């Protein structure tokens, strides 16, 4: 399990881990914090560290807002991972959090390069959805 933003592990390091045989990674991508930091010059170095470069600063999500920005960033992050299979699990805010609605708090990304790993993770996670809508998994990969 990897938290590349809270405990910095760069995308190049994660890709090195994923290059090993029979390896998978469960990545906690703290979207809510990353989203706040994307446009804040005082902390953009944290996103530089995460991505391993400054290329992200010229991506379309920088001019977007809301769910479009979220989806665009997630697509960009996924494109930088060297994983053949990626299952995103969207975690929303809990009912007791001060933020409500459709906003994502973070994502759990299951990254692997073997079909058995993705199949098993899908089987485990599919029944775990909740009525409050804090956990969302469509089953699509």
């Amino acid at each position: 399990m990897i938290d590349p933003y809270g405990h910095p592990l760069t995308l190049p390091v994660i890709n090195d881990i994923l290059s090993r045989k029979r390896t998978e990674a469960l990545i906690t991508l703290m979207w809510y914090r990353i989203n706040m930091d994307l446009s804040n010059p005082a902390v953009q170095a944290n996103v530089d560290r995460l991505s391993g470069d400054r290329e992200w600063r010229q991506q379309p999500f920088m001019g977007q807002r809301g769910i479009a920005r979220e989806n665009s960033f997630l697509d960009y992050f996924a494109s930088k991972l060297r994983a053949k299979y990626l299952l995103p699990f969207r975690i929303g805010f809990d009912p007791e959090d001060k933020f409500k609605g459709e906003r994502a708090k973070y994502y759990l990304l299951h990254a692997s390069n073997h079909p058995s790993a993705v199949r098993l993770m899908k089987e485990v996670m599919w029944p775990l959805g909740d009525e409050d809508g804090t956990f969302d998994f469509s089953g699509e990969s």
Side-chain angles (χ1 to χ4, degrees):
M1 186 159 204
I2 299 170
D3 178 359
Y5 201 66
H7 301 283
L9 276 181
T10 66
L11 273 166
V13 171
I14 295 169
N15 284 332
D16 184 49
I17 292 167
L18 287 170
S19 71
R20 299 168 190 209
K21 284 188 171 193
R22 297 181 180 219
T23 302
E24 56 190 314
L26 190 58
I27 303 164
T28 305
L29 189 65
M30 300 304 295
W31 167 246
Y32 181 73
R33 168 56 45 200
I34 292 169
N35 184 40
M36 287 193 302
D37 292 355
L38 289 174
S39 299
N40 183 347
V43 291
Q44 285 179 330
N46 295 337
V47 185
D48 292 343
R49 215 172 4 264
L50 168 66
S51 63
D53 59 34
R54 296 168 57 104
E55 179 184 303
W56 65 270
R57 294 176 186 232
Q58 276 67 54
Q59 299 305 309
F61 57 78
M62 291 302 291
Q64 297 171 325
R65 299 180 55 85
I67 195 70
R69 182 177 182 144
E70 181 178 326
N71 289 336
S72 185
F73 180 85
L74 191 60
D75 289 344
Y76 174 75
F77 189 86
S79 76
K80 302 294 273 181
L81 282 173
R82 289 193 205 126
K84 187 172 181 182
Y85 304 100
L86 186 69
L87 291 177
F89 304 100
R90 185 177 187 272
I91 311 299
F93 286 91
D94 294 324
E96 54 273 353
D97 285 329
K98 73 177 191 176
F99 298 106
K100 306 273 190 261
E102 300 297 314
R103 298 174 73 174
K105 189 173 190 176
Y106 64 96
Y107 283 86
L108 291 177
L109 303 175
H110 179 258
S112 67
N113 288 310
H114 196 280
S116 293
V118 73
R119 182 178 46 79
L120 290 170
M121 182 57 79
K122 200 180 234 188
E123 288 174 10
V124 167
M125 297 301 269
W126 179 260
L128 297 179
D130 64 17
E131 292 178 12
D132 293 328
T134 57
F135 177 76
D136 179 28
F137 172 54
S138 67
E140 298 174 7
S141 58

